[in-house]
Amino acid sequence: MSWNRKDLITIEELSSEEINTLFETADAFKKVLGRKTAKTPALRGKNVVNLFFENSTRTRVAFEMAAKRLSADVTSLDMKTSSTAKGETLRDTVENIRALAADIIIIRHSAPGSAGYIAKILDIPVLNAGDGAHEHPTQALLDCFTLREKWGDLKGRKIAILGDILYSRVARSNIWAMNKLGAEVTLVGPSTLVPREFERLGAKVSHDLKSALADKDAVMLLRIQHERQNASAFPSLNEYTSMFGLNADRFSWLKKDAIIMHPGPINRGVEIDSDLADSSQSVILEQVTNGLAVRMAALYLCNGGAAEAAIA
Amino acid sequence: MPRCTIIKNGRIVDPKNNRDEAADLYILDGKIASKPSNEILDTAEIIDAQGLVVSPGLVDLHVHFRVPGQKHKETIRTGTSAAAAGGFTSVVCMPNTSPAVDNAGTVQLIKDIVDKEGVVNVFPTGTITVGRQGEALAPTGSLSRMGIVAISDGGKCVQNAGLMRRALQYAHMFNVPVIDHCQDYSLSADGVMNEGFVSTKLGLRGIHKAAEDIIVARDITLSTHTGAHIHLQHISSKSAVDIIRRAKARGINVTAEVTPHHLALTDSEVESFNTNFKMNPPLREEEDRIALLEALEDGTIDCIATGHAPHTDYEKDVEFDYAPFGVIGLETALSISLAQLYHSKRLSLLGTLSLLTSRPAEILKLNKGTLSEGADADVTLFDPEETWTPQFKKFFSKSSNSPWIGRELKGKVKKTLVAGKLVFDGQKILAD
Ligand SMILES: [Zn+2]
Ligand SMILES: [Zn+2]
């Protein structure tokens, strides 16, 4: 076991040993999930607060269910119309929640660095459920956990991440995680969404779909939006799909048994053909299931772990 | 009998007169003087400057004192105290106050407060446009008559090139320099730091260098055609330096400044998400930093100015995205400049101090920044070798938003005199 962290804020700061510890813990929890009474007492009596400043039903529900499976009491707060709108600072908000006897805080916030900022303020575990375009550590962990289940490990594997990389916390966390686990990452998409600067993070950058997919073991698609920041990054969703959308023809460019991933929610017919998303090579729903085990492991480890008995 | 002060045994460094020698400095009735009669000398007050540099009081062309309107950040009293503690005896304050300095009455108000509370000389500026809205010209003539030394939209950049052309033409008629914060908003948009590897890694929105370069080129073009003097604030990019260098070679009436932070720090500091590294223009990359140092060496950039921008700790204690831009700089500027230029052996002490005294004074034609006989006796004594460490809440400024908190600096101001009067003794402010 190697895990001495109060918080889970970034993949950048994790060692590969820590990632593997988390995976082993998630393995154990996945077994628990397969049982008839799929619940453990590991966080009994703990108050877990889901603090979501951004809409994300998926991630919020996944954390909620993970905490409940650990027997914690869960409160989910939709902060969209709260603190900031009222002129309260993030510090004030989280100090108030701490004062209400919160034991663990899970935060989703649009500002990069915000989860790390409150982790420094609070003496309780803070889990980052996505801080702007910075990191989304549990997503990367569940992605890599899913690939590890398929392949045994990620060493020497080649993975393409395709889509809106520039604004994607999922891409950033996955680059860190996959590199630490020995995989090679290629980022693909239009030049306006996949800047060269990512090369210094240890990823390859390509704007040519065919050559980028040619020798890959897996392709991870990212949701494409054509609003806000992206409005001027590419001409239209149609243009994007015609240049970079994944369809059966283009999927054949990958290695034969290549895996398709997507953190969801999917834009069917935009970044990926609908049939392909439902195909046997897609692990999109497995990702969701594994997200539960991985988040249970993250909550459990940041809470200081406990006797192995708590898992079994 | 005239009031006399002798500063003894110091190393007098006066860039304006290319003077660097061990000598005594005489002050008679607030002016720099030659050696007076023995009779006067007998009554003189003596300041021992053994081991210290005796410099003209430093001149800062770019500070924000937040008065009127934002006294919670800074007041004229606290701002000028910070100046004195940093060795500055003359400062030019930007007009982005609340209300903005776009009318003669507000200039008068500031002057009245400076008369009452000021510890050092304060030179106000007026705005370029009404309310800094970038839509209509402010009354430059009336503002000039009230004594403003330049116009600027302070923290904002006039986006409309046609309006900026008119501003330069109009100000030129009154011989009023135009000071610009160079930034094209369509490129800087909602950025919070330099656009580059670090912003890509952190997922923070970037402000591209091109936002600065384009306005620098625009302003130089408009100066070329109007003949007006344009002064470019806090230049931060290597490519902007290149544009200015070529303009100067063509004899265009352009001057430029750089802040100590941009000389010393890069955007890698933002990896900590510490909001005391959030400023506008943002900290750039190492190649930019080196280009800025070289630009000071060859005269492409004319002077150092702090951009002293106080914000309270609670305003800065928020998510990086939401923190206001800007850091204080008056109390650390000399140490940082010495470290980057003098201690690093890029420039002599004379050359380094020229960037903080005679050069800035010349740019806005302030009768300051020299120890010439007959000049106002604004004098700063400092120990270039003494080390110190800035602490949170220990600044003379009302705000503590300094990137230097907890970092050891070298070079400490020991005494500051304004018009021959000691206003800072190395520990405390001695005004009134
Ligand atoms: Zn500015
Ligand atoms: Zn400024």
Side-chain angles (χ1 to χ4, degrees):
Chain A
M1 278 275 292
S2 99
W3 190 281
N4 298 306
R5 293 178 183 278
K6 166 175 94 71
D7 313 295
L8 176 57
I9 305 301
T10 69
I11 301 287
E12 179 187 3
E13 63 195 356
L14 294 185
S15 66
S16 55
E17 290 75 31
E18 286 173 304
I19 295 174
N20 281 315
T21 295
L22 191 134
F23 285 165
E24 284 155 27
T25 312
D27 281 335
F29 281 125
K30 194 163 180 184
K31 284 194 195 99
V32 171
L33 290 174
R35 291 193 321 224
K36 216 168 180 182
T37 320
K39 212 164 170 176
T40 86
L43 293 187
R44 180 169 293 152
K46 299 281 179 183
N47 288 315
V48 174
V49 178
N50 253 327
L51 199 54
F52 275 56
F53 290 86
E54 255 187 6
N55 248 336
S56 172
T57 313
R58 285 169 173 258
T59 306
R60 202 201 57 209
V61 168
F63 267 111
E64 233 173 70
M65 292 179 70
K68 283 179 178 163
R69 291 292 168 97
L70 295 169
S71 305
D73 296 317
V74 187
T75 309
S76 285
L77 297 171
D78 178 2
M79 304 301 289
K80 252 189 313 166
T81 51
S82 190
S83 62
T84 322
K86 287 181 194 155
E88 188 181 60
T89 64
L90 182 56
R91 172 187 284 273
D92 287 338
T93 303
V94 299
E95 284 181 342
N96 269 286
I97 288 168
R98 172 70 184 111
L100 290 168
D103 297 304
I104 299 177
I105 286 185
I106 297 158
I107 180 170
R108 157 72 62 97
H109 195 292
S110 63
S114 50
Y117 167 71
I118 71 164
K120 276 182 212 151
I121 292 174
L122 299 180
D123 58 348
I124 55 171
V126 174
L127 276 69
N128 181 9
D131 58 335
H134 181 218
E135 285 228 39
H136 191 355
T138 56
Q139 179 69 44
L141 290 167
L142 75 88
D143 291 337
C144 292
F145 183 82
T146 304
L147 291 172
R148 171 179 166 274
E149 278 192 332
K150 296 286 165 196
W151 296 334
D153 66 58
L154 275 68
K155 280 197 192 70
R157 297 288 184 166
K158 294 185 172 182
I159 302 159
I161 305 180
L162 168 58
D164 176 358
I165 309 292
L166 182 57
Y167 298 102
S168 172
R169 50 186 163 230
V170 176
R172 284 175 181 78
S173 284
N174 265 302
I175 294 167
W176 290 114
M178 289 168 174
N179 278 343
K180 284 171 199 276
L181 295 171
E184 180 190 291
V185 179
T186 301
L187 308 172
V188 205
S191 52
T192 45
L193 293 179
V194 190
R196 286 272 157 212
E197 278 76 11
F198 278 100
E199 286 173 353
R200 275 180 62 193
L201 277 185
K204 294 187 174 177
V205 167
S206 170
H207 310 303
D208 176 56
L209 193 57
K210 188 162 194 174
S211 65
L213 295 183
D215 54 348
K216 300 299 178 287
D217 299 292
V219 58
M220 175 183 294
L221 300 151
L222 297 177
R223 183 176 168 81
I224 292 294
Q225 299 177 66
H226 193 61
E227 52 203 41
R228 292 194 318 254
Q229 59 260 43
N230 278 351
S232 57
F234 58 90
S236 69
L237 283 178
N238 274 339
E239 166 96 353
Y240 179 87
T241 305
S242 75
M243 294 291 149
F244 294 100
L246 194 66
N247 54 32
D249 181 37
R250 290 168 176 177
F251 183 64
S252 71
W253 297 342
L254 284 132
K255 277 193 183 165
K256 196 164 149 287
D257 296 321
I259 293 171
I260 299 172
M261 313 183 84
H262 196 306
I266 304 174
N267 272 319
R268 287 178 186 267
V270 178
E271 62 262 2
I272 182 167
D273 236 38
S274 187
D275 289 349
L276 215 47
D278 302 328
S279 73
S280 62
Q281 279 168 291
S282 156
V283 296
I284 295 172
L285 289 174
E286 288 170 57
Q287 288 173 269
V288 176
T289 308
N290 286 335
L292 205 52
V294 161
R295 290 186 172 108
M296 287 170 79
L299 284 163
Y300 172 79
L301 290 172
C302 290
N303 187 52
E308 290 295 317
I311 305 182
Chain B
M1 180 96 52
R3 193 166 53 83
C4 179
T5 305
I6 314 171
I7 300 175
K8 273 182 125 45
N9 309 320
R11 172 179 172 189
I12 296 180
V13 180
D14 180 18
K16 174 94 179 184
N17 295 302
N18 201 26
R19 179 180 180 201
D20 182 351
E21 61 180 348
D24 297 342
L25 187 75
Y26 303 97
I27 299 171
L28 278 183
D29 285 337
K31 305 273 185 193
I32 305 293
S34 58
K35 188 171 181 178
S37 66
N38 284 337
E39 192 193 1
I40 294 174
L41 282 181
D42 284 344
T43 68
E45 185 190 339
I46 292 168
I47 295 175
D48 185 16
Q50 184 67 49
L52 303 181
V53 171
V54 179
S55 158
L58 310 185
V59 177
D60 190 346
L61 296 187
H62 185 171
V63 304
H64 300 271
F65 279 172
R66 311 301 189 198
V67 169
Q70 293 188 297
K71 281 191 190 166
H72 58 292
K73 295 176 194 265
E74 196 80 284
T75 63
I76 296 291
R77 182 53 181 240
T78 58
T80 54
S81 296
F88 289 90
T89 54
S90 293
V91 297
V92 174
C93 61
M94 289 297 119
N96 57 331
T97 48
S98 179
V101 191
D102 62 3
N103 63 86
T106 307
V107 181
Q108 187 59 54
L109 174 66
I110 292 171
K111 287 176 128 184
D112 289 346
I113 300 172
V114 168
D115 280 345
K116 250 189 281 166
E117 305 180 7
V119 177
V120 304
N121 306 301
V122 177
F123 297 93
T125 55
T127 62
I128 299 173
T129 67
V130 175
R132 301 165 60 239
Q133 296 296 305
E135 284 160 11
L137 294 183
T140 311
S142 318
L143 291 166
S144 169
R145 202 180 287 147
M146 282 302 298
I148 54 119
V149 295
I151 55 170
S152 166
D153 268 357
K156 275 194 180 176
C157 178
V158 175
Q159 297 296 292
N160 181 323
L163 184 64
M164 189 63 174
R165 177 192 169 202
R166 296 291 177 219
L168 283 161
Q169 281 180 317
Y170 192 73
H172 193 37
M173 174 170 62
F174 302 107
N175 231 335
V176 171
V178 179
I179 298 181
D180 201 11
H181 168 115
C182 300
Q183 197 156 51
D184 181 303
Y185 293 166
S186 69
L187 280 160
S188 60
D190 48 3
V192 297
M193 70 170 294
N194 177 57
E195 180 173 334
F197 167 68
V198 180
S199 69
T200 303
K201 176 181 165 185
L202 301 180
L204 287 170
R205 288 181 304 276
I207 297 175
H208 199 275
K209 288 163 199 169
E212 177 171 312
D213 304 348
I214 281 171
I215 299 294
V216 164
R218 177 199 75 173
D219 285 355
I220 285 169
T221 303
L222 294 174
S223 169
T224 309
H225 295 300
T226 59
H229 174 198
I230 182 91
H231 175 70
L232 310 174
Q233 291 184 302
H234 43 48
I235 290 303
S236 68
S237 91
K238 179 178 192 286
S239 34
V241 165
D242 290 339
I243 297 167
I244 298 166
R245 184 173 287 127
R246 277 179 280 140
K248 287 201 160 180
R250 287 186 289 133
I252 312 244
N253 195 2
V254 56
T255 54
E257 68 185 36
V258 63
T259 78
H261 331 298
H262 290 97
L263 289 179
L265 304 169
T266 66
D267 62 354
S268 63
E269 301 283 356
V270 179
E271 294 219 20
S272 64
F273 289 103
N274 180 340
T275 57
N276 284 339
F277 296 97
K278 181 171 175 179
M279 55 194 88
N280 191 0
L283 294 171
R284 302 289 188 190
E285 294 162 62
E286 183 63 7
E287 62 163 10
D288 300 296
R289 193 182 77 83
I290 299 298
L292 294 170
L293 288 165
E294 288 168 356
L296 283 178
E297 285 177 272
D298 72 7
T300 298
I301 293 181
D302 301 84
C303 72
I304 294 170
T306 65
H308 182 81
H311 297 291
T312 64
D313 52 343
Y314 59 85
E315 288 166 303
K316 278 284 195 182
D317 185 13
V318 293
E319 303 91 312
F320 198 88
D321 275 352
Y322 303 148
F325 289 102
V327 302
I328 56 171
L330 283 166
E331 293 166 68
T332 50
L334 178 61
S335 310
I336 309 304
S337 303
L338 289 171
Q340 295 304 319
L341 298 163
Y342 171 62
H343 291 305
S344 71
K345 302 203 163 46
R346 275 184 181 270
L347 286 178
S348 65
L349 195 52
L350 208 58
T352 303
L353 286 176
S354 75
L355 301 168
L356 289 157
T357 59
S358 53
R359 283 302 292 137
E362 282 159 18
I363 289 169
L364 293 190
K365 302 186 183 67
L366 310 176
N367 199 10
K368 295 289 179 185
T370 175
L371 298 177
S372 301
E373 240 181 87
D376 294 336
D378 297 345
V379 187
T380 296
L381 278 61
F382 66 90
D383 180 344
E385 306 298 330
E386 184 176 325
T387 58
W388 64 294
T389 305
Q391 307 283 344
F392 182 66
K393 296 274 191 196
K394 293 280 169 65
F395 292 94
F396 286 87
S397 169
K398 201 165 189 175
S399 293
S400 259
N401 52 319
S402 166
W404 303 104
I405 291 169
R407 299 190 183 199
E408 190 178 89
L409 305 181
K410 193 165 155 188
K412 183 104 181 67
V413 175
K414 307 301 282 184
K415 283 183 172 54
T416 306
L417 291 84
V418 174
K421 219 177 100 208
L422 192 63
V423 296
F424 176 66
D425 68 359
Q427 305 290 332
K428 55 189 187 302
I429 300 297
L430 313 162
D432 310 320

